[in-house]
Amino acid sequence: MWSSRLVFILAATGSAVGLGNIWRFPYMASDNGGGAFVLVYLACIAILGLPILIAEVLVGRQGRRSPVHSVVTISEASRASAAWGLMPVMGILAALMILSFYSVVAGWTLHYTWLYVQQLLGSTRLEDPAGSFGALLGNPLQLGMWHAVFMVLTVVVVALGVEKGLERAVRWLMPALFAMLLLLVGYGLTTGHAADAARFLFQPDFGKIDGATVLAATGQAFFTLSLGSCSMMAYGAYLPRDNISLPRTAGTIALTDTAVALLAGMAIFPIVIAYGISPEGGGPGLIFTSLPHAFNDMPLGSLYGLLFFALLSVAAWTSSISMLEPGTAWLSERLGVGSRKKVALGLALFCWLLGLLAALSLNRLAHVKFGERDIMGLLEFVASDLMLPLGGMLIALFTGWAMDRSLLRGQLPEMPEWAFTALRWLLRVVAPLLVLAVLLRAAL
Ligand code: TRP
């Protein structure tokens, strides 16, 4: 069990804050027209993210086991169908699919950390950021190697359970990343393009809101809060019960996560515009092709670049752990004590191989296309934009309809009656219908 509310908040925030905020949010905003996307994303965090985050953590804290067993136990206690147990299985699969490409991208951040070590030592210089990034994508060996390094880092924590290290990483290194982002926002002000960046990010062009934008924004809201895959449920299982208000805790996590994403946006877009890169259609390479320009021109830029990518790698690490944890908890529960290390290793190997396919789709397998998408794009789309919202919808339905009202109420004793009723109807009707509408709208 986590020793306190603070440790849980740290671990859950560590899960939430990651590449989703600093790599994915800016590039999704860039690819989906800016302000309109950001507006829908913020609405999704408030209307879908917050209630579903409460629901996930709550189910974990009530069930106290791996996500699958927690859901099955609660179903039995509520005389609901045991088939609900299939829901976390889908979530676990989504988390593993996400881990497979996530660790490829985390491999890029490790590679960039290494590049800045070399730049600091004077042995290389990122003169042409777009060219350097292209060179990395064209090099399967390098991609596969950094991808492997990152996967090893992840599996070591999940297999050995080094909570102390995790706690320290989140308590000290994440605030450091936050401070670096703030400084970058400050640098953005000196470029004279902060106002243009703010206009791009916050002035919605409603003509640009279509089904695809809304789906992308919904998927991003789930992705960034680690929702819909039962990651947060797995963490909730270790949360002590006394005196810990779930709505307040969930609010803190969602607020921190959103703040980091918006800061990242306001750090990156002024630089993007200042260096003559189009803010639209930046794609997954956006931060890697834009930030190095600023690091080249800033005083102590090489050191800054090194720290930035190192801290981003740590943030990715505290997230990837939470993707491997639910599957490991479930399978090792089934296979018995002593199997945890082997299970973690087996799942990581599976994800590494799947991720290798994603990495190869950037070069050797670039011709394999599914419509517009390559293998990596397809994996990202299916897992984040389809499976996560679907998983979130099922969790909302489960807590709203299947779970006994008294069990639900028992987890939220501090909520006034009206707020509890409102939350329950959000979970029963509003959230599921909204997700359904988003999915249908995008399909039609
Ligand atoms: N939220 C993390 C990020 O923003 C990614 C993440 C961690 C995640 N665990 C997850 C995404 C589970 C989906 C499901 O980087």
Side-chain angles (χ1 to χ4, degrees):
M1 208 166 283
W2 309 107
S3 47
S4 68
R5 172 171 179 264
L6 182 66
V7 181
F8 171 78
I9 290 195
L10 288 174
T13 311
S15 165
V17 176
L19 294 173
N21 308 63
I22 293 165
W23 159 71
R24 199 169 192 264
F25 171 74
Y27 110 68
M28 291 300 269
S30 167
D31 283 3
N32 289 284
F37 170 89
V38 175
L39 188 74
V40 181
Y41 156 81
L42 290 174
C44 285
I45 295 277
I47 304 170
L48 296 172
L50 209 50
I52 295 175
L53 180 55
I54 296 172
E56 267 203 36
V57 178
L58 180 153
V59 169
R61 190 168 73 165
Q62 176 71 36
R64 286 269 177 258
R65 314 268 304 268
S66 79
V68 178
H69 285 91
S70 292
V71 167
V72 169
T73 314
I74 294 174
S75 300
E76 279 166 2
S78 310
R79 275 179 248 104
S81 161
W84 281 108
L86 289 175
M87 167 185 86
V89 176
M90 184 188 82
I92 285 167
L93 193 66
L96 294 175
M97 286 166 73
I98 289 173
L99 177 58
S100 67
F101 70 80
Y102 198 88
S103 58
V104 173
V105 179
W108 302 350
T109 67
L110 287 177
H111 173 78
Y112 271 72
T113 310
W114 176 237
L115 281 183
Y116 278 100
V117 170
Q118 289 172 302
Q119 177 155 326
L120 204 60
L121 297 175
S123 60
T124 174
R125 200 169 153 75
L126 270 142
E127 282 304 349
D128 166 22
S132 305
F133 185 67
L136 171 64
L137 295 196
N139 190 333
L141 205 67
Q142 226 164 20
L143 289 174
M145 187 197 76
W146 289 113
H147 169 47
V149 171
F150 186 78
M151 198 62 95
V152 168
L153 289 172
T154 304
V155 78
V156 163
V157 178
V158 175
L160 302 179
V162 285
E163 287 88 4
K164 281 282 168 293
L166 182 68
E167 193 176 331
R168 245 173 254 149
V170 182
R171 198 188 288 237
W172 302 109
L173 300 181
M174 305 279 273
L177 181 64
F178 200 81
M180 304 270 300
L181 280 176
L182 273 180
L183 281 171
L184 271 185
V185 173
Y187 179 81
L189 290 175
T190 70
T191 63
H193 292 280
D196 296 330
R199 218 169 292 124
F200 179 72
L201 277 175
F202 299 114
Q203 201 172 71
D205 174 352
F206 290 101
K208 282 190 180 148
I209 299 189
D210 62 4
T213 317
V214 175
L215 181 66
T218 309
Q220 174 61 17
F222 280 93
F223 188 98
T224 194
L225 290 177
S226 313
L227 282 185
S229 71
C230 302
S231 275
M232 288 298 184
M233 200 183 284
Y235 275 16
Y238 307 115
L239 179 64
R241 186 150 189 159
D242 310 325
N243 301 325
I244 293 174
S245 154
L246 289 182
R248 237 185 61 207
T249 308
T252 311
I253 296 167
L255 215 64
T256 312
D257 187 76
T258 308
V260 175
L262 296 181
L263 272 183
M266 278 311 292
I268 287 155
F269 281 102
I271 295 170
V272 165
I273 299 169
Y275 290 91
I277 304 167
S278 163
E280 302 228 27
L286 186 65
I287 66 166
F288 299 95
T289 53
S290 60
L291 290 182
H293 283 294
F295 296 149
N296 279 344
D297 290 353
M298 286 160 73
L300 292 178
S302 302
L303 181 63
Y304 205 91
L306 167 59
L307 285 174
F308 179 83
F309 283 110
L311 289 170
L312 184 55
S313 305
V314 173
W317 191 16
T318 59
S319 298
S320 62
I321 292 164
S322 76
M323 297 175 203
L324 194 52
E325 173 62 28
T328 306
W330 175 48
L331 286 180
S332 57
E333 201 176 55
R334 298 206 63 156
L335 301 176
V337 266
S339 64
R340 190 176 168 92
K341 283 188 189 132
K342 281 192 207 107
V343 167
L345 218 62
L347 289 179
L349 189 64
F350 165 79
C351 291
W352 184 75
L353 287 171
L354 190 60
L356 204 57
L357 267 184
L360 285 174
S361 77
L362 303 168
N363 37 69
R364 299 280 152 79
L365 298 178
H367 57 280
V368 183
K369 291 270 188 192
F370 305 84
E372 299 261 280
R373 301 185 166 90
D374 56 13
I375 299 175
M376 183 151 167
L378 184 75
L379 205 57
E380 194 181 343
F381 174 72
V382 171
S384 341
D385 292 357
L386 300 182
M387 290 169 83
L388 294 183
L390 199 63
M393 172 161 105
L394 290 173
I395 289 160
L397 289 171
F398 175 72
T399 43
W401 296 96
M403 187 174 179
D404 207 53
R405 187 183 188 281
S406 59
L407 286 182
L408 193 68
R409 188 66 174 122
Q411 286 286 342
L412 300 162
E414 64 295 318
M415 266 187 134
E417 196 58 35
W418 66 266
F420 174 74
T421 308
L423 174 67
R424 189 147 175 266
W425 282 102
L426 259 176
L427 292 170
R428 297 189 112 180
V429 179
V430 181
L433 280 184
L434 278 177
V435 174
L436 190 70
V438 169
L439 290 175
L440 284 180
R441 178 78 208 280
L444 297 178

